[in-house]
Amino acid sequence: MPVREHDLREIREAVAKLCATFPMEYWRKADRERRYPAEFVRALTEAGWLSCLIPEEYGGAGLPLTAAAAILEEVQKSGANGAACHAQMYTMGTVLRHCSEAQKKKYLPKIAKGELRLQAFGITEPGAGTDTSAIRTTAVRKGDRYVVDGQKVWTSRAEHSDLMLLFARTAPRDKVQKKTDGMSVFLVDMKAALGKGLTIRPIRTMINHATTEVFFDKLEVPAENLVGEEGKGFRYILDGMNAERILIGAECVGDARWFIAKATAYANERQVFGRPIGQNQGVQFPIARAYMATEAAALMVERAAQLYESNEPCGPESNMAKQLAAEASWQAGDMCLQTHGGFGFAEEYDVERKFRETRLYQIAPISTNLVLCYLAEHVLHLPRSY
């Protein structure tokens, strides 16, 4: 059921009010120490925002994707970083549409209550990258269990998650008709698996993203944790990927709006040569251009979310929403840093932190080039380039 506009306003206002209780110093300190913002994640969980997509019968709010997008946009717009917890929303694209009723009853109520976190999505591998069909992590059926061997990389929040959605090959690539066949999705109990075939190794990056690589060495996963049918996993994760692109797009819109507000305020306050710098067109025009790009991207995010909610094909729209929003946030971030001049590099202004954080989305969850390739081939019907 669509969320009415006044309902979205109420959601936005409530999320903004919660975020305001976490001042910018909280985020500076977390970034400085590379610390997971556990208090913030707990507050969002207790307020019910991280379980917004979980149906009411499992303890959630049963809201549509547009509401989840509004929540994450407001988080970013406040100057916070929703990357600490956004996976609990976008993994629902796979879980709600493809998990069995038994799996939903087992996990969703505990996730909704905050007793369990589903924050890890194990898909990318060092040797595969965006060529998902080339993954080498295997899951071999042995009786009532699957034995998993392999490695994942850029698996964010693995150290802070109880459950992982794991993507693995259950049939060799050379034994299937299509290269996207023979891959399956599993729900992995990470706490039970740690030290028993599962190893997590942190990766220090330019942003505080709780990023890790994960190793599987004969990890046993109960067969009942298989999501849907064996070998059909690629189709299942597409639902998660489309949701992820839309929600990341909403986050980027939030980032862009934070940058624009920050730059506008500074341009009005900062005096040089006896006048506010915002009086100069050389400062005004980049802010105005960033504003236009952001508003256009926001419309595409809204359009993609509406299609997703209606169970209509939304691959092109989801990819365009993510890419246009990522470009808008980076344009706004670059503009904001330039507007602040040297002060933009100072930690206390928060611009440099947000500048680093929003740059990620030119690369993740899918790179610019792959979005362009997808549109060229599947929308414009140009020859496949890879």
Side-chain angles (χ1 to χ4, degrees):
M1 181 181 296
V3 178
R4 296 186 298 273
E5 189 58 37
H6 75 269
D7 292 332
L8 279 182
R9 283 199 302 271
E10 290 177 2
I11 288 171
R12 291 178 183 278
E13 289 170 2
V15 173
K17 186 176 180 180
L18 184 153
C19 290
T21 64
F22 292 85
M24 290 300 95
E25 178 53 34
Y26 173 85
W27 293 102
R28 289 174 212 144
K29 191 171 187 293
D31 181 68
R32 193 183 310 132
E33 298 174 356
R34 291 296 192 265
R35 183 176 62 83
Y36 185 74
E39 303 84 1
F40 179 72
V41 175
R42 188 179 306 115
L44 283 179
T45 302
E46 291 174 354
W49 298 125
L50 292 190
S51 60
C52 68
L53 295 175
I54 297 176
E56 292 182 60
E57 60 263 37
Y58 304 112
L63 296 175
L65 199 70
T66 47
I71 291 166
L72 290 177
E73 181 189 325
E74 287 301 318
V75 168
Q76 299 303 114
K77 185 180 173 184
S78 76
N81 188 2
C85 50
H86 58 196
Q88 196 141 303
M89 292 186 179
Y90 67 67
T91 51
M92 289 297 126
T94 299
V95 171
L96 295 179
R97 294 186 175 186
H98 303 293
C99 276
S100 67
E101 186 60 27
Q103 289 169 335
K104 291 176 185 177
K105 286 181 177 179
K106 181 177 180 180
Y107 295 114
L108 290 181
K110 292 182 178 180
I111 293 172
K113 290 179 182 177
E115 295 174 6
L116 290 177
R117 285 181 185 165
L118 173 53
Q119 289 288 358
F121 191 15
I123 182 167
T124 307
E125 298 186 5
T130 49
D131 184 4
T132 305
S133 66
I135 64 169
R136 295 183 179 181
T137 296
T138 58
V140 179
R141 180 75 180 257
K142 292 188 178 180
D144 63 352
R145 296 184 173 272
Y146 285 86
V147 178
V148 180
D149 289 282
Q151 176 187 0
K152 299 294 180 180
V153 72
W154 313 125
T155 307
S156 298
R157 300 162 301 274
E159 294 179 293
H160 306 282
S161 184
D162 300 294
L163 300 172
M164 170 194 282
L165 269 185
L166 174 65
F167 195 55
R169 272 217 167 268
T170 44
R173 186 174 177 175
D174 59 358
K175 301 294 184 183
V176 293
Q177 288 187 331
K178 293 173 59 180
K179 64 181 182 179
T180 53
D181 291 339
M183 296 185 285
S184 303
V185 179
F186 300 87
L187 277 166
V188 177
D189 184 337
M190 298 181 71
K191 300 300 182 184
L194 199 60
K196 299 178 182 178
L198 173 67
T199 302
I200 302 173
R201 190 173 298 165
I203 302 173
R204 187 173 177 86
T205 62
M206 69 182 284
I207 56 175
N208 183 29
H209 208 72
T211 303
T212 71
E213 50 186 341
V214 182
F215 300 87
F216 305 95
D217 182 13
K218 297 181 175 55
L219 172 66
E220 294 187 357
V221 177
E224 65 188 31
N225 284 27
L226 173 70
V227 174
E229 294 182 53
E230 183 180 299
K232 305 294 185 182
F234 186 79
R235 180 168 61 87
Y236 301 159
I237 66 164
L238 287 180
D239 280 328
M241 286 180 170
N242 284 333
E244 181 183 35
R245 284 154 174 62
I246 294 166
L247 292 174
I248 293 297
E251 289 189 60
C252 288
V253 169
D255 274 344
R257 287 176 169 159
W258 184 89
F259 285 124
I260 291 166
K262 188 83 170 175
T264 300
Y266 186 78
N268 277 317
E269 296 166 2
R270 176 66 169 163
Q271 297 275 332
V272 178
F273 299 118
R275 55 192 274 174
I277 63 171
Q279 190 173 340
N280 301 312
Q281 290 180 343
V283 174
Q284 290 180 352
F285 288 2
I287 299 175
R289 287 185 178 278
Y291 176 80
M292 286 192 293
T294 300
E295 293 305 301
L299 289 174
M300 182 55 74
V301 171
E302 181 181 344
R303 171 63 176 156
Q306 290 171 344
L307 288 173
Y308 185 91
E309 289 171 5
S310 301
N311 286 318
E312 295 183 44
C314 62
E317 290 80 8
S318 298
N319 278 283
M320 288 189 288
K322 178 266 171 186
Q323 190 56 43
L324 290 173
E327 289 177 352
S329 68
W330 180 240
Q331 178 183 350
D334 188 57
M335 170 277 297
C336 187
L337 185 62
Q338 192 70 21
T339 301
H340 281 75
F343 288 107
F345 291 86
E347 181 188 59
E348 65 183 284
Y349 281 79
D350 300 296
V351 176
E352 60 86 26
R353 172 178 61 83
K354 294 287 283 183
F355 181 84
R356 287 183 283 113
E357 290 170 357
T358 210
R359 179 60 177 85
L360 171 66
Y361 299 117
Q362 292 286 311
I363 298 169
I366 184 171
S367 72
T368 298
N369 288 346
L370 263 294
V371 170
L372 297 176
C373 286
Y374 174 86
L375 294 172
E377 179 185 353
H378 296 284
V379 179
L380 301 174
H381 306 296
L382 293 167
R384 185 181 178 90
S385 63
Y386 60 96

